[in-house]
Amino acid sequence: MSEKRGRSSACRNCRIRKRKCLPILGDGSGCCQLCRDQTLPCSLTVSSIKNRRIVSANEHSSSAAPNPKHITSPSQQLDDPASLIPPKSVLDELVDLYFRLIHDGPHTLFHEPTFVSNLASNLVPPGLVFAVIALAARFSTNEYFHDNPQGYATKYAAAALELLQKEMVRPSLETVQGYILISQHLGGEGDAKAKHICTGLARLHCQSLRLWETEGLSLLDQELRRRTYLSVVITGKWSSADMSVAPVRAEYPPENLLLLDEEDFLALRLKLPRHGIWAQMAKTIDLFREILDVIIRLGTGGTLATQIGEVNRLADRLDRWEYELPRVLKYSSENFEYFQGIGFGKTFLAMHIGYHHYRQLLYFPFLDPRNDDPLAFECKKHAMMVSEIASRGGELVYYIIGHILVVSSSVHLHTLLLGGGDVDKARIYLLSNFDILMRLKKYWPVIDSAVGRLRSFQNHCRVSPLKSFLLDDWMWKFLMEQSAVLGEERGSKNAAREPLVNDEDMSNDALVESALSWLLD
């Protein structure tokens, strides 16, 4: 009789179903009995890939030497984009990296077991394959990439775009998914305009297909369409913010989507929703749009006096959202560990870091010292929660986290330079943010722009700390645009410095200066 594995070493399907994970004696693949009986892809067959450590590009990889006949230089021009597909072992690794590090963070597009099964059967369109591995390649340490995974990621993205363009007037679920993925690759590269165009194409294809309409379809097809539609809406909101334009309303209210809970979707079980993470995130998307509207109005001539009613209304709605969260979705170490154990730790964290980012944006205008408003403390509280969540186990590694941390860091700078909060905690969280930004820089070129914005903001604080938090044209772009390169227009960094507010400011400022110099090296 097969000896069962412990829960920590059980495959993902057995953990979700709370079944004994029984190895098959004599089977060297590692597949368990349940997965073989139900013809499911078993996560244990790729356990060696899942345990691969992500290291910086200058560290040596322990992966086996690649087969020279399969190696294709990313700079080589090919007539046939499909010839760029890497060998199966490398492709499997990249797909695993994508699902482990990206999917169910900034978007939710696929049913992982079905995608992996379809890939093995060559049923996934090449353009979609390239779009997936374009996001994943940057994290690989496989020797196949010759210490240049970023170059391969760029080449894969170009191949995906070339193939997607051939389907531009033939919309399908796969073209919507492909454009979403490529838009997020382009966002990570810092190309905001190209990202916005791809996001727009995803939305046009989505509208043509009316993805929110699912009557009469199978459970799997219904859920894939709903989740892809939700991803289109979310990506569109962030892309609009990056272009400093007001986001448009969704064609169908995302909060009305009948999404399955994450573990039920993975197991394809039809159950009433109980604690779906994406279902809860869908309720906050329109709030994000309205908060951005407030920021735009305040940054283009509006006053706090005219917007305070709207700020209070949005704060009440966010309060209600948090209050109504199911107990298992409340932010706590116990709940995080539960979702991490079933493979949705980053999704749980993404929901909470998004919520606290919305609140730090909503209250940011109250940091202007001339307002002397108690809501400034609310902004600082939520900025600290952003830092706390981002530091959880390296789960959040997509590029938008860098922008969120830059906003959070600017709030910590307020505490360090102007007081009015827990200076020791602000110092700790600021350095933690910098450490995470340093790691994200290895994978996403756009993080250089994000850190540059923080450097410019710090220079403004050095010149005029009492005026730096005024929500002017420069500041609202700083808050909204994830790819913006902002200059020093608010004041010269070499101008005479005004007195700072408390005795600790010089040492705190020196700390920030040192950390930023380290980040920008």
Side-chain angles (χ1 to χ4, degrees):
M1 182 177 176
S2 298
E3 182 177 337
K4 79 167 185 175
R5 299 180 173 103
R7 176 172 174 78
S8 61
S9 58
C11 79
R12 191 172 187 182
N13 293 322
C14 289
R15 288 202 306 271
I16 293 296
R17 291 165 171 77
K18 298 183 179 179
R19 297 280 296 277
K20 293 179 180 179
C21 191
L22 302 174
I24 303 170
L25 295 178
D27 185 344
S29 72
C31 183
C32 75
Q33 189 72 49
L34 175 73
C35 291
R36 188 182 71 173
D37 292 346
Q38 299 189 13
T39 63
L40 295 170
C42 184
S43 62
L44 295 179
T45 61
V46 291
S47 59
S48 61
I49 295 173
K50 285 186 180 293
N51 292 330
R52 184 185 298 275
R53 185 169 62 99
I54 301 172
V55 296
S56 60
N58 59 359
E59 290 188 55
H60 293 294
S61 170
S62 60
S63 51
N67 187 337
K69 70 180 182 181
H70 289 305
I71 296 176
T72 303
S73 167
S75 61
Q76 183 177 342
Q77 297 299 315
L78 298 171
D79 294 331
D80 179 15
S83 63
L84 270 176
I85 293 284
K88 184 180 184 305
S89 61
V90 179
L91 178 61
D92 288 345
E93 174 190 336
L94 294 180
V95 170
D96 178 73
L97 285 171
Y98 165 75
F99 279 105
R100 185 152 51 94
L101 300 176
I102 300 295
H103 190 258
D104 275 321
H107 57 250
T108 177
L109 298 170
F110 306 114
H111 180 249
E112 181 180 353
T114 299
F115 185 93
V116 172
S117 177
N118 286 344
L119 184 68
S121 302
N122 294 319
L123 297 176
V124 182
L128 190 55
V129 174
F130 279 125
V132 166
I133 64 179
L135 282 175
R138 70 198 71 235
F139 298 105
S140 178
T141 59
N142 196 303
E143 290 181 6
Y144 175 83
F145 297 112
H146 303 295
D147 292 329
N148 185 24
Q150 192 71 42
Y152 280 82
T154 301
K155 194 70 175 179
Y156 293 152
L161 267 176
E162 182 176 336
L163 292 169
L164 282 168
Q165 284 171 354
K166 296 177 180 179
E167 306 298 323
M168 189 177 295
V169 294
R170 291 186 290 272
S172 65
L173 179 65
E174 290 79 11
T175 60
V176 179
Q177 294 166 335
Y179 279 124
I180 288 294
L181 294 170
I182 290 304
S183 75
Q184 294 184 350
H185 164 82
L186 292 167
E189 297 293 303
D191 193 341
K193 291 182 180 178
K195 175 185 72 172
H196 197 59
I197 290 169
C198 284
T199 302
L201 288 169
R203 186 178 183 193
L204 289 173
H205 282 217
C206 175
Q207 289 172 334
S208 298
L209 298 167
R210 300 182 70 84
L211 287 183
W212 56 91
E213 295 179 354
T214 60
E215 187 177 356
L217 299 176
S218 69
L219 179 64
L220 175 60
D221 289 339
Q222 286 184 358
E223 196 71 8
L224 287 176
R225 287 171 66 97
R226 289 166 182 163
R227 286 172 178 261
T228 300
Y229 169 69
L230 178 60
S231 299
V232 169
V233 175
I234 292 173
T235 305
K237 295 292 188 288
W238 282 97
S239 184
S240 295
D242 205 10
M243 296 296 293
S244 290
V245 296
V248 296
R249 288 185 178 275
E251 292 79 8
Y252 179 83
E255 62 271 22
N256 291 348
L257 294 169
L258 301 175
L259 295 174
L260 294 174
D261 290 353
E262 278 61 48
E263 54 267 52
D264 292 333
F265 174 48
L266 191 63
L268 289 180
R269 291 188 300 244
L270 181 56
K271 285 189 173 183
L272 290 175
R274 306 177 307 282
H275 50 252
I277 303 175
W278 282 103
Q280 296 297 330
M281 280 197 273
K283 298 176 182 179
T284 65
I285 296 171
D286 206 49
L287 285 170
F288 182 38
R289 178 187 65 81
E290 294 186 58
I291 290 169
L292 294 178
D293 286 345
V294 170
I295 295 294
I296 290 174
R297 287 195 291 270
L298 287 173
T300 53
T303 65
L304 278 176
T306 62
Q307 297 299 310
I308 189 64
E310 186 69 1
V311 169
N312 289 334
R313 184 184 67 83
L314 292 170
D316 288 343
R317 289 181 63 189
L318 286 166
D319 285 339
R320 186 163 62 253
W321 177 86
E322 184 183 35
Y323 177 78
E324 292 175 352
L325 277 179
R327 181 174 297 180
V328 73
L329 291 184
K330 302 285 188 182
Y331 183 73
S332 70
S333 295
E334 180 183 4
N335 288 341
F336 169 59
E337 289 166 6
Y338 167 75
F339 282 105
Q340 189 179 41
I342 62 173
F344 294 100
K346 67 177 176 292
T347 317
F348 177 82
L349 295 180
M351 176 180 71
H352 284 286
I353 203 168
Y355 163 74
H356 289 288
H357 177 58
Y358 300 163
R359 299 210 79 142
Q360 71 176 1
L361 285 179
L362 184 63
Y363 295 133
F364 195 94
F366 298 94
L367 291 177
D368 186 342
R370 291 169 293 186
N371 293 324
D372 192 26
D373 196 293
L375 288 178
F377 288 95
E378 287 295 307
C379 183
K380 296 183 178 189
K381 178 180 75 175
H382 291 287
M384 287 190 174
M385 284 303 303
V386 164
S387 300
E388 152 71 17
I389 294 165
S391 66
R392 283 279 188 165
E395 291 270 349
L396 300 175
V397 295
Y398 46 95
Y399 76 92
I400 287 175
I401 298 302
H403 171 71
I404 292 173
L405 289 179
V406 163
V407 176
S408 166
S409 297
S410 69
V411 180
H412 300 329
L413 279 173
H414 185 286
T415 301
L416 289 174
L417 302 179
L418 298 174
D422 190 328
V423 173
D424 291 335
K425 270 193 174 181
R427 178 190 290 251
I428 291 168
Y429 280 133
L430 187 63
L431 291 178
S432 173
N433 286 359
F434 286 171
D435 182 58
I436 296 167
L437 287 166
M438 191 69 177
R439 281 185 271 132
L440 291 175
K441 274 184 63 173
K442 299 174 187 175
Y443 310 120
W444 307 105
V446 75
I447 300 300
D448 282 324
S449 299
V451 175
R453 292 195 299 277
L454 189 57
R455 161 69 86 184
S456 295
F457 180 73
Q458 187 230 3
N459 288 335
H460 298 159
C461 291
R462 296 175 65 189
V463 173
S464 182
L466 295 178
K467 297 178 181 178
S468 296
F469 291 85
L470 173 68
L471 195 60
D472 55 13
D473 182 68
W474 191 97
M475 197 68 222
W476 71 268
K477 290 179 179 178
F478 173 90
L479 294 175
M480 291 177 57
E481 298 182 9
Q482 307 117 55
S483 308
V485 178
L486 300 176
E488 304 285 343
E489 293 84 355
R490 299 177 91 194
S492 170
K493 60 184 178 182
N494 297 317
R497 185 173 178 176
E498 294 182 5
L500 296 175
V501 172
N502 61 54
D503 295 336
E504 293 297 319
D505 281 334
M506 286 301 294
S507 60
N508 287 330
D509 192 48
L511 167 78
V512 174
E513 174 68 28
S514 175
L516 276 168
S517 297
W518 170 61
L519 261 173
L520 288 164
D521 284 342

